[in-house]
């Protein structure tokens, strides 16, 4: 029995070495590029760290206009006091974005004249990445609006309002200098009647200038509520086009998903032509749009799900403890010991770590009538949007095996072209053309083609 | 014979949903967990039936233990469709507790928990790695058609349309009132009701004729209660698994409802009662035992049940009223 265990552990170890030894054979692929949120014009980003019903919500601010015009109204489940609000570092969302973005990896074919080595690599290619296994009351009364709290945090002036009826709230906001779009009344009502409060923020210009920041920093609020949802309906009031929302859910448990819409994985782990290396952003945008249309525009896409103590391949270094705390992870203090566990070992009690789920929701009024509700599950299954470039061997080839290798290449390229066309809806002829350009050194002489035709 | 039994249709349809789900809905379903669910359901059923048969034999009742594998298979398919886990032990626990609930949690000869539902709740409460994905079916109309079509076929055969109609009717009424009061547009309402998971529950789980009340009026009252509790749990306690919890919580109400509506109110169906008893004997010959264990008990000490069963559309479907749908 002991021997058997030894064999098993050796086997596990050898897999570990194969997979995680730095760069040796690029078994898990070299990381090349990422498709982060900068791709989209108007992507809102939200970080939700949640454990039980305690939540820390960080809202990135992508406001592009004059700072003095900025105001936001967000329905929140409970009254929020000053201690529950802070201003987060903008960098933290960038870090999460970079860490979880869909990624491009590349492999290089080895010399086909060294067959054993090649076989191993070939097996390795299609394998997905290794499994590795958070008041005042005044004359507002006749409008039915109560100011539950009023305070300043950083450059923001914050009000927490509760209201009795939507008309009153709309009037109040207009009177107090908040430009509320038309039609807001109808949309505010359901939130008022579900006893939600309104988190209203605008910028204190003096403080903003003092702070020296160029952009508005993210606001982070913590609260305790069984409601695990994001109020997106208000944001759709003026929008005619689809909007992108990227939600990073950090949980001590495992993967998060949406309960009232389908959560679908983005297409992943596919081999695509090597020329995509230079246009990965275009590729990802087209691929996402194609997948979005294919799913009839009414699903949320899972782009990343991983234990945050590791990544493979890494598009950015994992966040350290301090950064995780910045991102709102509040349960780390209790279990610092567990973080010393090797990152690749599945833990029986995964509460020690942080699991990230990156959901990309492209929503529009007609297909997302209801605010998305979330739940965290205990699934620790890893997933990443990962696209593979397989470079052919470009060295000298003069052995028997090389002919077979060369013969196999056109079929492989054609397969890659078709995959790319299918994923992105790009024209297959254009793809083929581009591929030829990038594969100039693989043209065969006529006799090679002839021999290939003869099957020799 | 194949497809002679309504449960065969049910096995076929649930199997179809599994294939559809894995094929078109992008589930992270592990085939080995389906195998585990089936293996543990069938073996638990076999084991407990054998033990029970042996015990009965000891008591000098000359009966051969017959094993009801169809309903166990239905339970396992139901678990595979609904329960998500990343550990096979959790699935095994759900399967064993589902089947065991039929043998141990019963009053007289009637188990009152829906086995698959009991298994799901056991896994959710006893382990830390089980969950249910209510969003997994989305809200596409053609799925709704498939569910309504197949579910309708089975419900027509077993005569349990009333339960589904009562459940969906009252639930959608409550949701409509809420929607109207909150002031959401109606597309929010339809989005909530078109959920494939809700329909699957309404058509295949809440209608299990073996564990739900026997009398029509009892079933309607029961389904309305489940709808109300589901509504409250979902909208005021924000439980995404509200339907399963409310079915679990209200399952014991079946006993009370059976008691309540077994009164003289239905005694005028004397003819139906006789037919029911005959139908039951016929069923015994087919080997449908195991979960009920109701052989030879009807005329003696279980008149309540016979009356109730008789009232449950048995005049029209004398042999069908004894069929079992589990999910």
């Amino acid at each position: 029995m002991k021997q058997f265990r030894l064999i098993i552990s050796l086997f596990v170890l050898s897999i570990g070495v194969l997979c995680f030894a730095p760069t040796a054979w690029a078994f898990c692929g070299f990381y090349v590029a990422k498709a982060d949120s900068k791709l989209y014009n108007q992507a809102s980003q939200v970080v939700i760290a949640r454990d039980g019903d305690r939540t820390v919500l960080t809202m990135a601010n992508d406001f592009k206009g004059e700072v003095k015009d900025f105001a936001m109204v967000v329905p929140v489940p409970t009254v929020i006091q000053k201690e529950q609000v802070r201003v987060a570092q903008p960098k933290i969302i960038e870090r999460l974005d970079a860490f979880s973005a869909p990624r491009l990896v590349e492999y290089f074919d080895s010399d086909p004249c060294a067959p054993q080595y090649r076989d191993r690599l070939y097996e390795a290619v299609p394998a997905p990445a290794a499994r590795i296994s958070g008041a005042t009351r005044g004359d507002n009364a006749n409008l039915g609006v109560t100011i539950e709290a009023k305070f300043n945090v950083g450059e923001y002036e914050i009000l927490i309002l509760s209201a009795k009826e939507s008309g009153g709230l709309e009037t109040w906001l207009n009177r107090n200098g908040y430009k509320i779009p038309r039609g807001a009344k109808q949309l505010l009502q359901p939130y008022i009647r579900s006893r939600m409060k309104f988190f209203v923020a605008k910028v204190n210009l003096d403080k903003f200038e003092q702070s020296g920041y160029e952009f508005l920093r993210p606001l982070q609020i913590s609260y305790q509520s069984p409601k695990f949802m994001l109020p997106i309906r208000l944001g759709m009031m003026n929008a005619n086009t689809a909007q992108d929302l990227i939600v990073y859910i950090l949980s001590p448990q495992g993967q998060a998903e949406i309960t009232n819409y389908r959560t679908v994985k983005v297409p992943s782990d596919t081999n695509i032509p090597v020329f995509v290396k230079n246009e990965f952003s275009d590729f990802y945008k087209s691929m996402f749009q194609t997948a979005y249309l294919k799913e009839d525009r009414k699903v949320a896409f899972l782009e990343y799900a991983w234990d945050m103590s590791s990544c493979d391949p890494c598009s950015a270094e994992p966040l350290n403890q301090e950064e995780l705390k910045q991102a709102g992870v509040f349960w780390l203090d209790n279990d610092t010991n567990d973080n010393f566990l090797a990152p690749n070992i599945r833990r029986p009690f995964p509460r020690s770590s942080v699991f990230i789920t990156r959901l990309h929701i492209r929503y529009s009024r007609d297909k997302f009538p209801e605010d998305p509700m979330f739940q965290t599950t205990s699934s620790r299954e890893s997933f990443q949007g990962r696209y593979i470039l397989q470079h052919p061997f470009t060295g000298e080839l003069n052995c028997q095996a090389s002919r077979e290798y060369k013969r196999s290449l056109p079929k492989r390229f054609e397969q890659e072209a078709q995959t790319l066309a299918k994923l992105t809806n790009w024209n297959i002829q254009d793809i083929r053309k581009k591929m030829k350009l990038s594969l100039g050194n693989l043209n065969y002489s006529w006799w090679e083609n002839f021999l290939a035709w003869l099957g020799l | 014979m194949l497809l002679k039994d309504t449960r065969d249709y049910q096995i076929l349809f649930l199997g179809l949903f599994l294939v559809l789900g894995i094929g078109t809905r992008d589930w992270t379903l592990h085939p080995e967990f389906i195998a585990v669910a089936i293996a543990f359901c069938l073996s638990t059923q076999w084991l407990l039936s054998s033990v029970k048969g042996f015990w009965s034999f000891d008591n000098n009742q000359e009966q051969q233990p017959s094993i009801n594998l169809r309903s166990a298979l239905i339970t396992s398919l139901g678990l595979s469709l609904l329960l998500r886990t990343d550990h096979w032990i959790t699935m095994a626990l759900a399967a064993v507790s589902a089947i065991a609930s039929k043998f141990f949690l019963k009053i007289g000869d009637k188990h009152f928990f829906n086995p698959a539902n009991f298994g799901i709740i056991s896994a959710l409460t006893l382990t830390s790695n089980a969950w249910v994905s209510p969003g997994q079916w989305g809200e596409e109309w053609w799925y709704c058609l498939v569910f309504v079509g197949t579910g309708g076929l089975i419900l027509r055969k077993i005569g349990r349309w009333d339960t589904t109609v009562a459940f969906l009717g009252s639930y959608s009424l409550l949701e409509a009132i809420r929607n109207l009061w909150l002031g959401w547009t109606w597309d929010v309402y339809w989005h909530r009701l078109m959920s494939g998971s809700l329909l699957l529950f309404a058509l295949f789980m809440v209608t299990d004729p073996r564990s739900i009340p026997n009398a029509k009026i009892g079933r309607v009252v029961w389904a309305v209660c489940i709808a109300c509790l589901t509504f409250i749990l979902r909208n005021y306690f924000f439980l995404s698994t509200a339907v399963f919890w409310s079915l679990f919580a209200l399952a014991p109400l079946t006993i009370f409802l059976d008691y309540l509506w077994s009164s003289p109110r239905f005694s005028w169906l004397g003819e139906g009662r006789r037919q029911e008893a005959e139908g039951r004997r016929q069923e015994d010959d087919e080997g449908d035992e195991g979960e009920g264990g109701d052989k030879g008990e009807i005329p003696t000490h279980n008149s309540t049940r016979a009356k109730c069963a008789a009232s449950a559309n048995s005049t029209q479907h004398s042999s069908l009223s004894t069929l079992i749908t589990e999910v």
Side-chain angles (χ1 to χ4, degrees):
Chain A
M1 191 62 197
K2 259 191 179 170
Q3 268 180 338
F4 182 67
R5 268 194 209 151
L6 186 72
I7 291 167
I8 293 264
S9 39
L10 278 175
F11 179 71
V12 171
L13 188 72
S14 63
I15 289 181
V17 168
L18 278 176
C19 231
F20 307 114
T23 66
W25 297 317
F27 189 88
C28 296
F30 292 102
Y31 166 75
V32 184
K34 60 174 175 274
D36 57 22
S37 64
K38 289 184 189 105
L39 288 178
Y40 319 103
N41 290 328
Q42 280 186 318
S44 322
Q45 295 185 79
V46 177
V47 185
I48 308 175
R50 186 171 164 103
D51 183 15
D53 56 5
R54 289 179 298 168
T55 305
V56 178
L57 176 75
T58 314
M59 297 169 282
N61 220 321
D62 62 337
F63 184 69
K64 298 263 168 27
E66 289 271 325
V67 172
K68 68 174 170 50
D69 295 331
F70 169 80
M72 69 193 261
V73 179
V74 181
V76 286
T78 60
V79 172
I80 308 278
Q81 299 298 344
K82 185 171 179 173
E83 316 79 74
Q84 292 168 267
V85 184
R86 53 186 286 267
V87 178
Q89 296 299 325
K91 211 185 135 215
I92 201 67
I93 295 181
E94 277 175 32
R95 286 280 286 125
L96 281 170
D97 183 15
F99 178 75
S100 60
R103 59 214 60 202
L104 187 65
V105 298
E106 59 184 346
Y107 295 88
F108 293 87
D109 280 357
S110 56
D111 186 347
C113 300
Q116 302 117 330
Y117 185 59
R118 179 189 138 211
D119 285 351
R120 195 183 301 168
L121 246 181
Y122 257 63
E123 278 168 28
V125 175
R131 276 182 71 185
I132 305 168
S133 312
T136 53
R137 284 160 205 272
D139 46 296
N140 310 314
N142 50 1
L143 289 171
V145 176
T146 313
I147 301 172
E148 303 277 358
K150 185 180 184 177
F151 47 85
N152 292 328
V153 174
E155 63 266 39
Y156 294 100
E157 281 177 8
I158 289 154
L159 287 174
I160 308 296
L161 303 177
S162 65
K164 288 200 177 112
E165 52 113 8
S166 52
L169 181 63
E170 190 185 28
T171 313
W172 190 94
L173 287 165
N174 277 324
R175 270 193 209 163
N176 287 276
Y178 295 93
K179 288 178 197 155
I180 298 299
R182 269 191 204 173
K185 194 180 146 188
Q186 281 78 22
L187 276 181
L188 290 171
Q189 188 188 323
Y191 295 109
I192 295 174
R193 295 215 164 151
S194 342
R195 294 196 199 147
M196 288 181 84
K197 313 295 172 204
F198 295 88
F199 178 93
V200 182
K202 63 179 177 184
V203 177
N204 182 322
L205 287 170
D206 295 339
K207 292 226 170 120
F208 180 67
E209 277 161 20
Q210 282 168 21
S211 73
Y213 285 102
E214 209 173 318
F215 300 104
L216 289 169
R217 293 178 292 167
L219 271 166
Q220 190 170 71
I221 54 177
S222 18
Y223 56 85
Q224 190 162 2
S225 165
K227 269 190 191 175
F228 191 7
M229 49 86 83
L230 273 179
I232 60 170
R233 270 297 286 270
L234 279 178
M236 286 193 264
M237 207 148 37
N238 292 338
N240 298 319
T241 53
Q243 299 176 56
D244 283 287
L245 168 69
I246 293 175
V247 191
Y248 308 92
I249 299 171
L250 307 174
S251 157
Q253 275 186 292
Q255 261 189 45
E257 61 181 23
I258 300 195
T259 59
N260 55 346
Y261 295 95
R262 279 174 63 214
T263 310
V264 175
K265 289 172 176 162
V266 284
S268 179
D269 282 324
T270 49
N271 282 54
I272 51 176
V274 290
F275 77 86
V276 176
K277 190 172 178 176
N278 301 320
E279 38 195 284
F280 184 51
S281 305
D282 289 335
F283 158 76
Y284 193 77
K285 272 199 274 191
S286 305
M287 192 212 70
F288 189 86
Q289 179 67 16
T290 311
Y292 166 71
L293 293 176
K294 194 180 147 214
E295 296 291 351
D296 200 19
R297 305 184 289 137
K298 53 185 177 192
V299 302
F301 286 95
L302 178 73
E303 287 186 328
Y304 195 70
W306 215 274
D307 190 308
M308 284 203 77
S309 55
S310 66
C311 41
D312 178 37
C314 293
S315 60
E317 277 300 298
L319 280 72
N320 61 35
Q321 289 251 340
E322 192 47 47
E323 287 175 312
L324 286 173
K325 279 186 192 163
Q326 282 280 327
V329 176
F330 53 88
W331 56 86
L332 279 178
D333 289 335
N334 311 327
D335 43 49
T336 40
N337 295 338
D338 297 297
N339 293 306
F340 294 108
L341 277 175
N344 306 326
I345 294 172
R346 273 189 137 205
R347 289 159 219 187
F349 300 102
R351 294 190 64 79
S352 57
S353 57
V354 184
F355 198 95
I356 184 172
T357 307
R358 176 185 169 122
L359 295 173
H360 186 160
I361 311 172
R362 182 165 286 176
Y363 62 92
S364 54
R365 174 64 191 83
D366 56 336
K367 297 288 181 174
F368 275 79
E370 199 184 2
D371 289 332
M373 318 261 190
F374 302 89
Q375 72 173 9
T376 44
T377 70
S378 47
S379 170
R380 308 283 294 181
E381 200 173 276
S382 301
F383 174 79
Q384 58 184 341
R386 175 171 167 270
Y387 309 93
I388 304 153
L389 307 179
Q390 180 86 31
H391 294 273
F393 184 74
T394 50
E396 228 174 279
L397 297 169
N398 341 309
C399 63
Q400 188 73 25
S402 69
R403 264 187 236 152
E404 201 186 310
Y405 170 72
K406 278 188 173 181
R407 227 176 293 140
S408 71
L409 285 176
K411 202 178 160 195
R412 190 173 106 189
F413 296 148
E414 180 56 27
Q415 188 63 46
E416 290 173 352
Q418 286 184 11
T419 307
L420 184 64
K422 202 173 140 204
L423 286 178
T424 55
N425 220 4
W426 288 347
N427 186 326
I428 185 105
Q429 295 304 340
D430 294 346
I431 295 171
R432 286 190 185 126
K433 250 186 237 166
K434 280 191 181 173
M435 286 177 79
K436 261 208 179 116
L437 287 174
S438 61
L439 298 166
N441 54 355
L442 271 164
N443 286 331
Y444 308 114
S445 58
W446 67 268
W447 65 84
E448 277 179 309
N449 287 333
F450 179 68
L451 286 175
W453 182 74
L454 287 175
L456 292 169
Chain B
M1 202 184 116
L2 203 66
L3 298 183
K4 189 182 163 196
D5 194 315
T6 310
R7 287 171 301 171
D8 291 335
Y9 284 98
Q10 203 158 9
I11 292 165
L12 189 75
F13 294 153
L14 294 175
L16 171 80
F17 298 160
L18 261 180
V19 170
L20 265 181
I22 299 167
T24 68
R25 302 277 84 166
D26 191 42
W27 290 356
T28 48
L29 219 140
H30 306 281
E32 63 267 29
F33 289 176
I34 301 176
V36 167
I38 294 174
F40 275 84
C41 278
L42 294 184
S43 52
T44 311
Q45 178 79 43
W46 174 78
L47 191 76
L48 292 177
S49 296
S50 307
V51 169
K52 198 179 144 126
F54 182 73
W55 184 79
S56 310
F57 194 71
D58 260 8
N59 286 337
N60 298 323
Q61 292 180 18
E62 287 192 21
Q63 292 171 6
Q64 286 294 314
S66 54
I67 298 154
N68 177 13
L69 293 180
R70 280 192 181 110
S71 73
L73 190 58
I74 291 172
T75 303
S76 64
L77 289 173
L79 285 173
S80 307
L81 272 171
L82 297 164
L83 189 66
R84 295 280 164 277
T85 174
D86 51 9
H87 211 290
W88 69 271
I89 292 178
T90 307
M91 191 53 102
L93 174 93
V96 171
S97 56
I99 301 296
S101 76
K102 295 198 294 189
F103 288 87
F104 299 110
L105 296 169
K106 56 183 190 174
I107 298 284
D109 63 342
K110 183 171 180 172
H111 63 275
F112 46 88
F113 281 111
N114 177 298
N117 183 57
F118 190 87
I120 289 170
I121 297 293
S122 311
L124 288 179
T125 48
L126 300 175
T127 72
S128 62
N129 57 5
W131 70 97
V132 173
S133 291
Q136 66 185 357
W137 289 105
E139 49 286 321
E140 238 154 315
W141 61 270
W142 72 271
Y143 271 98
C144 296
L145 277 184
V146 169
F147 293 155
V148 173
T150 50
L153 192 96
I154 288 169
L155 292 182
R156 198 180 64 82
K157 280 181 178 282
I158 59 170
R160 289 295 181 275
W161 260 115
D162 41 27
T163 318
T164 298
V165 170
F167 172 78
L168 278 182
S170 45
Y171 183 75
S172 49
L173 182 69
L174 288 167
E175 284 281 354
I177 295 168
R178 179 175 176 271
N179 208 71
L180 201 66
W181 182 73
L182 287 177
W184 282 122
T185 44
W186 289 100
D187 51 352
V188 175
Y189 174 72
W190 289 116
H191 178 259
R192 289 173 81 87
L193 287 187
M194 289 273 284
S195 159
S197 301
L198 181 74
L199 285 178
L200 203 60
F201 175 85
L203 289 155
F204 287 88
M205 191 175 251
V206 87
T207 54
D208 167 12
R210 293 283 280 202
S211 59
I212 67 176
N214 295 324
K216 191 172 193 168
I217 180 82
R219 291 198 298 267
V220 170
V221 170
W222 186 75
V224 172
C225 290
I226 290 178
C228 294
L229 188 60
T230 301
F231 176 79
I232 294 167
L233 290 177
R234 186 174 172 190
N235 294 309
Y236 298 95
F237 293 88
F238 310 103
L239 266 180
S240 58
T241 47
V243 279
F244 301 108
W245 284 103
S246 56
L247 176 59
F248 178 76
L250 292 176
L253 192 65
T254 307
I255 307 156
F256 175 70
L257 290 173
D258 273 350
Y259 174 76
L260 205 65
W261 276 291
S262 62
S263 57
R265 184 174 175 167
F266 288 105
S267 61
W268 56 268
L269 277 171
E271 181 66 10
R273 210 166 130 188
R274 193 182 55 76
Q275 280 182 8
E276 169 67 17
E278 276 170 10
R280 195 155 287 280
R281 271 178 219 116
Q282 218 177 343
E283 170 211 27
D284 288 348
D285 295 336
E286 290 166 18
D288 180 22
E289 205 264 327
E291 54 174 3
D294 39 14
K295 287 174 195 166
E297 291 175 341
I298 292 164
T300 55
H301 59 269
N302 195 27
S303 56
T304 308
R305 184 191 159 130
K307 280 182 214 159
C308 297
S311 66
N313 290 355
S314 57
T315 43
Q316 292 161 13
H317 308 285
S318 59
S319 63
L320 289 170
S321 64
T322 53
L323 293 170
I324 300 156
T325 46
E326 300 272 320
V327 175

